[in-house]
Amino acid sequence: MGREIMARRFGVACMLAAFLAAVVLAATGAGEAHGAQQARFWATFRAEKTIGWSEPRWTTRSDCWHTWWTQGSGRQTERYESTMPVKLLAYTVGRNNSSVFLKWRTWDEFAESSDREMPAVGTITRQASRSTDWDAGTCGVRGVIIDDEGNERTTPVPPPPDDCGTRKPGVDGWIGNGNKYMWLDTGSSFPSQEAQMGFRACELNMPYEMDERGWSVDVRGRYSRAELFNSAVPVVTVSAAERYSQKQLIGGARAIVFTSGAVRWTVTLRRAASPPRGGRR
């Protein structure tokens, strides 16, 4: 009888121990599932911006002998690409680790905030053409006219060069981010004052939301938290694109310039070795 009681007590103790072990394992698993996450990457980017404009022929002024008109069009294409990968650390913060934070140029969560500049190269190609001419007025046409500068002319005003070619400016890229979103900004500078002035001989018109030297708009790309912290995903890609179009009145609202533009960029995150379990670094 005593042996049976002892056996029962032993069985109950084993069942209780097994139950407690299961509870501990379940709690540990839940803690890991909702605990802080971290992932390390090498980041690069590509970006492109295009601008186009068209100014249909319109009459600028007229008199009895001449009717002056002008028309123009142009296009600019910018392409940028990072020259080397930079470190990026993704980790969760906040209550229940609900937010994702990205830190650039370091894999140390506790390092001082580093700049988000990414070295890059790029090209800018610009073409533009403008024709200014005249037709006979209601009185016919004279053989000689006086232009706006007081010079006599017997032939139409020749158009300026219509191809400024390609320049390779200095380029910087910056990455910004919020929870679930990322955005890219770039800035360019011409290698010399001479190159800048020669390049700007080509006229450029663009939508108001765009900027000649960079991205003046917040073009956001959404990233996936599930992909960031899934070690089975070797490459995470974040992309964004935006298009713009606008009509601009000119010449005292006698003419319209049609402008358009597009921005697109891609940030590629290639997964690096994961930090050791049990701690961050």
Side-chain angles (χ1 to χ4, degrees):
M1 188 71 178
R3 290 182 179 179
E4 290 181 1
I5 295 175
M6 292 181 63
R8 289 176 183 174
R9 289 179 178 176
F10 180 78
V12 171
C14 289
M15 292 175 61
L16 181 60
F19 174 77
L20 292 175
V23 170
V24 170
L25 287 174
T28 302
E32 290 180 353
H34 298 286
Q37 296 174 291
Q38 188 180 102
R40 301 190 295 180
F41 298 92
W42 290 104
T44 57
F45 81 89
R46 289 175 177 265
E48 181 178 274
K49 180 174 70 173
T50 58
I51 296 170
W53 64 276
S54 175
E55 182 183 320
R57 174 171 165 162
W58 62 286
T59 300
T60 57
R61 59 192 176 95
S62 62
D63 58 25
C64 183
W65 300 99
H66 304 93
T67 299
W68 283 266
W69 56 265
T70 185
Q71 64 183 10
S73 62
R75 182 176 180 82
Q76 176 166 294
T77 301
E78 305 172 44
R79 292 187 174 92
Y80 303 126
E81 181 177 1
S82 55
T83 56
M84 59 181 295
V86 300
K87 294 179 179 180
L88 180 143
L89 178 71
Y91 60 96
T92 56
V93 296
R95 184 177 182 180
N96 296 324
N97 294 285
S98 58
S99 299
V100 177
F101 190 85
L102 304 180
K103 181 170 285 191
W104 301 86
R105 303 180 73 91
T106 182
W107 285 335
D108 184 355
E109 175 185 349
F110 304 103
E112 294 184 6
S113 298
S114 56
D115 62 55
R116 300 180 179 189
E117 182 178 342
M118 301 179 72
V121 294
T123 59
I124 301 178
T125 301
R126 184 185 298 182
Q127 300 91 26
S129 63
R130 176 167 292 283
S131 298
T132 301
D133 207 339
W134 66 83
D135 297 325
T138 57
C139 299
V141 62
R142 288 179 179 176
V144 176
I145 68 168
I146 307 299
D147 64 19
D148 293 336
E149 297 178 355
N151 301 314
E152 292 186 355
R153 305 189 66 92
T154 58
T155 58
V157 178
D162 63 357
D163 189 350
C164 279
T166 299
R167 299 291 189 275
K168 294 184 177 181
V171 180
D172 293 312
W174 293 272
I175 301 294
N177 67 273
N179 191 27
K180 301 180 181 179
Y181 289 97
M182 185 183 297
W183 56 89
L184 172 71
D185 194 9
T186 66
S188 61
S189 59
F190 291 100
S192 67
Q193 186 72 13
E194 181 180 357
Q196 177 177 342
M197 295 304 296
F199 194 67
R200 293 195 172 183
C202 280
E203 186 177 352
L204 181 65
N205 297 292
M206 69 193 76
Y208 295 131
E209 297 94 339
M210 304 187 76
D211 184 82
E212 181 179 353
R213 294 294 188 86
W215 270 244
S216 60
V217 291
D218 186 8
V219 182
R220 293 185 173 187
R222 188 181 181 94
Y223 60 83
S224 167
R225 171 173 176 157
E227 287 188 344
L228 282 180
F229 299 108
N230 184 353
S231 59
V233 179
V235 179
V236 178
T237 302
V238 185
S239 299
E242 192 66 74
R243 291 183 176 275
Y244 310 93
S245 62
Q246 201 169 72
K247 296 179 182 179
Q248 301 173 8
L249 298 178
I250 61 173
R254 290 178 296 163
I256 297 176
V257 177
F258 298 91
T259 61
S260 63
V263 173
R264 61 181 181 181
W265 57 260
T266 300
V267 172
T268 302
L269 307 178
R270 300 186 183 278
R271 195 173 302 276
S274 300
R277 296 190 62 181
R280 297 175 173 175
R281 67 177 184 182

